[in-house]
Amino acid sequence: MQILALGALAVASCLGILGVEAGRLMSYPPHVRTKRGAYIVEFDSHISSAHVSKFQGMSDIAVSHHYTKAFNGISVSTENIDPTHLANVDGVKRVWPVRYYRPAACPRGASNSTDAYLHHMTGVERALKELGLNGKGVKIGIVDSGVDYNHPELGACWKTEGCPWQYGQDFVGDKYTQANPVIEPNPTPMDCDGHGTHVSGILAGQGPQVHGVAPGATYGMYRVFSCPDGTESFASDDIILQGIEAAHKDGLDIISLSLGESGWPEEPIGVATAKIVEDGVVVVAAAGNDGAGGLLTTSSPAVAHGVISVGSIDNWNVTAKPAIVTSDQGSKPVMLSAPGNANYTFDFESDVPLAFPDSNGANLNGCSKFSSDLAGKIAFVKRGDCTFNDKITNAYEAGADGVLCYNNESGLLGPTTTVPVPIPFVVISEKDGAYIADRLAAGPVFVKSPKGEYETFSSETGGQMSSFSAYGPSPELDMYPLISAPGGNIWSTYLLKDGGYASISGTSMAAPYISGTAALIKQAHPELSVEDITRLLISTGKPITDPSTSLKFSPFRSGGGLVNVYDAIQSRVQFDPPVLSINDSKVGPINGDSKLTSLGTVRWAARTITVHNYDSKKHMEISLDNMAGNSMSSLLANGSFTYKPRVWPADATGNVPDDTVPQVYSFNGKKVIKPGQSDSITVFIVAPKGLKDAEQWYYGGFVEFTVQWQNEKTTSKYNVPYGGYNGDYAAQQVLSPVSDGLPAIVDSTGNPIQDLSTLVIKENVTATLLYGLSMPSRLVEVNMVNSDTGESVGYIYNGYMDYAPKTCPQCTVPHISTTIWSYVSTDKEGKDNVKVPAGKYHALLRALLPRGDISNDKDYQVWKSGDFTVA
């Protein structure tokens, strides 16, 4: 989620906003979709429920819902009252506009069978078969789009005796859209979207096709997403809060959230989930699918305090619809994605010729009009340079019967086409595409794909982090995600009316997998706390090797690695804290040991890890080592910005000097801990001295512990992930790089205005300021400043944002826009607008730097536009 919260009192004073205490009235950036006239009011913790009567007594205000369990506050609707009045009521902590959320799932992709191999790699198979666990006695709440409870693999029942579905309700109904938010809940939370049913199968699937992680648990479905509004489903956070609170009131042990938007932990759902964790409930949330945006893209509520945030790993085996490609080299099956439009499937019973867009081999990406006549043929194009909609439109206009598009990076993705073009569009892998391109250059190539045929393929990226999986850390440099699970190409239950099964990718699929593993742990050890379960999941995770570097994926990418629930259940040791976030470090020598003193001047941090031996009879001997992970940066070697993180080591072939990877040292790293006792180990984590501070590296790795138990021959391995920033974190630039062409002031057609002295703003003439953020910012504001006096006359329209998210061209939020017109706002909400006197002005954009003080002007990155005229 993206959240924006706050207020600089000094700025508010100069603009005449003296009535609201800074930080009470929150605002979102203009791209965030909010519900008109609807707000969530958060009370101070000591305020009683009787306080609600103050609002119920206000004219022109309707109290929509009173939250008492997970969140201390209310949701209200009003058309006529300025929200500053709500914020000024005694006892109000914060007021938020109601905003919309989406499920954390990617488009439907290639099919995948949830077979024993998947569960074998995560320890689920052993937990089910060897330990006899299935989640029985554990209650799990799913807050989602509902469930098709008539599905035979989900029990084909609702709240009957012996039915897995004993809790839940519908909070939204089938008619709710952003344009017309009509709430008419149904008697049961029947799914009309499919997302919730797919999530449910990952947890509760009874087989034979879908085998859930915790098929014996008791479930509740709290429907907060309505039917798709176009191609997407949305839910507003006031409704999501109702679902979360109902699950908590029902006394469920685990709440699974496959939803989110980029952001911070301070918004309402983040506050609510943190409170639920404090009450002893396990909350699991998807990390998000903005991996294309690189670092600092983990969603909220996954970044909420105490929530188990989950990254996605690609599945190992994929059962998919094949295409049989025939060339001069014979026939070869290739794996197809799901079609871009489910109404037009890639079904060809006999051979159809493939063809390039142009006979001369040009226009391979299919982004220009095709010169070839493709009647009776299938267009063969490469991904990139334009949208899938552009490619399929050009192919259709050239007469093609379909489009076979090959990826421009490893792996497979599920495309989405939204134009009304009645031909199929599918994607194949980069490797298969290169093979076909070579054969097609040499001679004729044909393809067929009979309806209803499937074949099992080995995934090129199986066991690796999914490309869409969001990166950490949090804006405050805390480690996220905490653990990873299968989420790429997951075969699960789906709406019966749409075939009953589907493959979908997303951290939406990884989150319920972890919810299921938490249920198995809780069944085996019902006495464990939320913190205990979290520690076990992380420390027994298996760090994942990045084949491109031979080091481990950074924990800012994978958390503790791939979950292994069998090892978590069988563990007799815990580590506290379970992760080491290095958000404060020292520079200088490390005194006390000659080995460490010899390192000279380094950036380092000391952390103490408490090790608990829970075996009541055996002592344990413990030693530690360092397992370095990749370092990541948003800067290329030439200093230019990149959204896809640059990784060190650059490849897996060269020599990697020790000083270019993080190191871990300890004075007391080998100990014997008696049965039932605890002891502490201090570790010194040294940042990679050989990497330049100016290159802004995020480093990380794993403190690897080896445990030898008394009178046992085998040893056990555990890991505590660590991560930090190699430099001054607060000195990073927040505004997007110049290479993005931002900030920029553009005209009504979207073209940049090169000479602002020619811009004259009038009643009917406006301009737009576009800007981006290369990392989240606590506060962003855009003022219109009189160029003669240097004084601000107010905020440009949509020019005040709290808790702003990172943006990127491939992210959920590509950029942020504000409108320059002849009025400015003197309040954060944009309610009090005043006419700007004629004169010369400029836009002043200020973004708070990491860990900055909102009242200190030196803690902002500032951009100033050229002068323009207001007439």
Side-chain angles (χ1 to χ4, degrees):
M1 288 178 311
Q2 313 142 264
I3 302 297
L4 318 198
L6 135 162
L9 186 57
V11 174
S13 297
C14 77
L15 294 179
I17 322 169
L18 299 177
V20 181
E21 181 182 337
R24 279 191 181 180
L25 184 58
M26 319 310 278
S27 59
Y28 290 106
H31 62 269
V32 173
R33 286 165 280 203
T34 60
K35 187 189 296 186
R36 179 181 175 85
Y39 301 90
I40 293 175
V41 181
E42 181 184 357
F43 298 147
D44 288 327
S45 57
H46 65 280
I47 297 298
S48 69
S49 60
H51 195 69
V52 178
S53 60
K54 290 187 177 182
F55 292 87
Q56 292 172 331
M58 293 182 181
S59 60
D60 296 326
I61 284 184
V63 176
S64 306
H65 192 80
H66 178 201
Y67 310 101
T68 59
K69 186 75 173 175
F71 184 79
N72 188 24
I74 57 176
S75 59
V76 302
S77 58
T78 176
E79 291 293 333
N80 302 317
I81 289 187
D82 189 320
T84 56
H85 296 306
L86 301 176
N88 278 328
V89 175
D90 289 341
V92 168
K93 185 176 181 179
R94 284 181 288 221
V95 174
W96 297 87
V98 168
R99 67 165 300 175
Y100 291 100
Y101 281 70
R102 288 170 293 187
C106 301
R108 295 170 65 176
S111 304
N112 179 267
S113 176
T114 305
D115 56 13
Y117 187 65
L118 184 156
H119 288 333
H120 171 71
M121 299 301 292
T122 60
V124 169
E125 182 182 37
R126 295 188 70 186
L128 297 176
K129 293 183 177 180
E130 296 179 24
L131 303 180
L133 301 171
N134 62 4
K136 184 177 181 180
V138 181
K139 296 181 289 186
I140 303 175
I142 305 169
V143 181
D144 214 292
S145 68
V147 58
D148 189 342
Y149 48 77
N150 291 323
H151 200 295
E153 294 203 36
L154 296 176
C157 59
W158 179 254
K159 291 188 178 181
T160 56
E161 185 177 354
C163 180
W165 302 98
Q166 293 294 327
Y167 301 94
Q169 65 187 94
D170 185 359
F171 292 93
V172 62
D174 297 345
K175 299 178 181 180
Y176 188 96
T177 66
Q178 292 184 70
N180 187 29
V182 175
I183 299 175
E184 294 182 1
N186 296 316
T188 63
M190 175 56 75
D191 191 5
C192 60
D193 174 83
H195 184 271
T197 300
H198 194 275
V199 165
S200 297
I202 294 168
L203 274 162
Q206 308 291 312
Q209 287 205 49
V210 177
H211 301 276
V213 178
T218 301
Y219 288 93
M221 173 57 74
Y222 302 85
R223 185 187 181 210
V224 297
F225 289 96
S226 187
C227 302
D229 182 6
T231 59
E232 290 187 290
S233 296
F234 295 91
S236 56
D237 52 1
D238 58 337
I239 295 175
I240 295 173
L241 276 176
Q242 291 184 49
I244 292 173
E245 181 155 287
H248 191 23
K249 286 182 177 179
D250 285 342
L252 303 194
D253 303 302
I254 299 167
I255 297 177
S256 191
L257 301 172
S258 292
L259 52 84
E261 294 289 342
S262 39
W264 300 67
E266 284 83 358
E267 44 71 46
I269 294 179
V271 172
T273 50
K275 170 63 167 57
I276 291 173
V277 172
E278 289 179 1
D279 290 346
V281 179
V282 176
V283 179
V284 180
N289 301 330
D290 268 341
L295 294 159
L296 298 148
T297 53
T298 300
S299 296
S300 179
V303 295
H305 303 298
V307 170
I308 301 175
S309 54
V310 187
S312 173
I313 289 172
D314 280 351
N315 222 330
W316 293 266
N317 291 334
V318 180
T319 303
K321 182 175 173 60
I324 309 302
V325 176
T326 303
S327 68
D328 59 348
Q329 298 294 308
S331 296
K332 171 185 172 66
V334 300
M335 181 171 63
L336 300 178
S337 73
N341 185 326
N343 294 320
Y344 303 104
T345 57
F346 198 84
D347 297 327
F348 295 93
E349 300 298 325
S350 58
D351 283 338
V352 180
L354 282 174
F356 287 123
D358 298 321
S359 58
N360 60 5
N363 190 27
L364 182 57
N365 288 346
C367 294
S368 303
K369 299 292 184 182
F370 293 7
S371 62
S372 300
D373 180 3
L374 269 61
K377 300 177 181 179
I378 294 174
F380 180 66
V381 301
K382 186 176 182 179
R383 181 188 175 198
D385 293 342
C386 61
T387 67
F388 293 141
N389 284 341
D390 294 330
K391 297 176 192 293
I392 192 173
T393 299
N394 290 334
Y396 178 67
E397 291 177 351
D401 290 349
V403 180
L404 190 66
C405 175
Y406 70 99
N407 205 357
N408 56 4
E409 59 183 6
S410 60
L412 199 63
L413 80 161
T416 298
T417 55
T418 57
V419 289
V421 175
I423 61 174
F425 185 104
V426 293
V427 172
I428 61 175
S429 71
E430 181 181 36
K431 181 178 179 181
D432 287 338
Y435 168 82
I436 294 174
D438 286 343
R439 304 294 9 109
L440 191 55
V445 176
F446 300 89
V447 64
K448 68 177 179 179
S449 183
K451 184 176 183 178
E453 289 192 4
Y454 290 90
E455 189 165 331
T456 299
F457 298 85
S458 177
S459 172
E460 295 177 15
T461 57
Q464 302 298 309
M465 293 304 301
S466 302
S467 60
F468 56 78
S469 190
Y471 292 71
S474 76
E476 299 302 324
L477 205 53
D478 293 323
M479 185 171 293
Y480 293 100
L482 293 179
I483 192 67
S484 294
N489 290 318
I490 303 299
W491 180 251
S492 185
T493 49
Y494 205 66
L495 302 179
L496 289 174
K497 69 180 182 64
D498 291 334
Y501 301 92
S503 177
I504 305 179
S505 294
T507 53
S508 271
M509 287 62 248
Y513 203 99
I514 292 299
S515 297
T517 63
L520 299 182
I521 296 172
K522 196 164 186 67
Q523 181 188 7
H525 303 290
E527 76 284 356
L528 293 182
S529 67
V530 175
E531 293 77 12
D532 292 333
I533 293 172
T534 302
R535 284 193 284 262
L536 288 172
L537 285 170
I538 296 171
S539 66
T540 57
K542 307 306 176 189
I544 306 161
T545 300
D546 182 349
S548 67
T549 67
S550 294
L551 295 185
K552 302 300 179 183
F553 280 103
S554 168
F556 285 142
R557 185 89 165 97
S558 68
L562 175 63
V563 66
N564 190 300
V565 69
Y566 179 85
D567 286 356
I569 292 167
Q570 296 292 82
S571 177
R572 291 169 280 173
V573 59
Q574 285 192 30
F575 301 86
D576 187 25
V579 299
L580 304 177
S581 297
I582 313 301
N583 45 26
D584 58 338
S585 58
K586 300 178 181 179
V587 179
I590 306 175
N591 298 316
D593 183 276
S594 58
K595 178 176 63 175
L596 300 185
T597 303
S598 65
L599 295 173
T601 300
V602 292
R603 178 172 282 104
W604 60 277
R607 293 290 187 271
T608 298
I609 303 171
T610 301
V611 185
H612 306 275
N613 178 1
Y614 284 103
D615 194 305
S616 61
K617 298 180 179 179
K618 295 182 179 182
H619 70 247
M620 54 179 279
E621 182 178 307
I622 188 167
S623 59
L624 66 85
D625 201 350
N626 178 43
M627 190 187 302
N630 295 335
S631 291
M632 302 183 294
S633 174
S634 294
L635 297 180
L636 298 175
N638 62 7
S640 60
F641 190 86
T642 174
Y643 288 103
K644 182 178 181 180
R646 172 190 174 198
V647 174
W648 179 264
D651 57 55
T653 59
N655 179 47
V656 181
D658 287 345
D659 69 350
T660 64
V661 295
Q663 302 294 325
V664 175
Y665 301 93
S666 178
F667 299 148
N668 55 356
K670 182 173 288 189
K671 291 196 171 194
V672 174
I673 303 177
K674 295 179 180 180
Q677 301 295 308
S678 302
D679 207 341
S680 296
I681 297 175
T682 299
V683 295
F684 294 86
I685 299 173
V686 179
K689 182 181 178 182
L691 299 182
K692 299 176 181 178
D693 286 10
E695 294 184 341
Q696 301 182 6
W697 292 99
Y698 291 79
Y699 66 88
F702 304 83
V703 182
E704 182 183 49
F705 289 94
T706 301
V707 174
Q708 176 70 63
W709 294 97
Q710 180 184 3
N711 300 326
E712 294 185 15
K713 294 182 179 180
T714 58
T715 59
S716 303
K717 300 283 189 181
Y718 301 89
N719 300 288
V720 174
Y722 65 86
Y725 178 76
N726 192 37
D728 183 357
Y729 187 63
Q732 294 185 85
Q733 299 298 292
V734 176
L735 296 178
S736 289
V738 175
S739 57
D740 279 5
L742 303 174
I745 295 179
V746 301
D747 60 23
S748 58
T749 64
N751 293 315
I753 303 173
Q754 303 296 341
D755 184 2
L756 287 176
S757 65
T758 64
L759 174 62
V760 180
I761 300 295
K762 304 176 182 178
E763 288 278 356
N764 60 345
V765 178
T766 65
T768 301
L769 170 60
L770 303 177
Y771 67 93
L773 300 175
S774 60
M775 62 187 305
S777 178
R778 171 69 175 77
L779 171 63
V780 180
E781 57 184 28
V782 188
N783 285 278
M784 188 182 293
V785 178
N786 186 301
S787 297
D788 294 326
T789 66
E791 294 182 359
S792 171
V793 293
Y795 299 121
I796 289 173
Y797 183 70
N798 284 326
Y800 192 99
M801 283 152 288
D802 301 308
Y803 296 114
K806 177 178 180 175
T807 66
C808 82
Q810 299 83 21
C811 290
T812 304
V813 185
H815 59 256
I816 300 171
S817 63
T818 61
T819 303
I820 303 172
W821 65 321
S822 54
Y823 289 81
V824 292
S825 302
T826 57
D827 67 316
K828 298 191 303 182
E829 284 291 310
K831 300 282 186 180
D832 296 329
N833 298 318
V834 297
K835 183 79 167 63
V836 178
K840 293 288 185 182
Y841 294 89
H842 62 267
L844 187 68
L845 168 64
R846 305 199 320 156
L848 190 66
L849 296 170
R851 298 182 183 166
D853 179 352
I854 59 175
S855 63
N856 186 349
D857 289 343
K858 294 181 180 180
D859 286 349
Y860 289 82
Q861 183 180 355
V862 177
W863 175 85
K864 176 183 174 182
S865 78
D867 289 346
F868 52 84
T869 300
V870 175

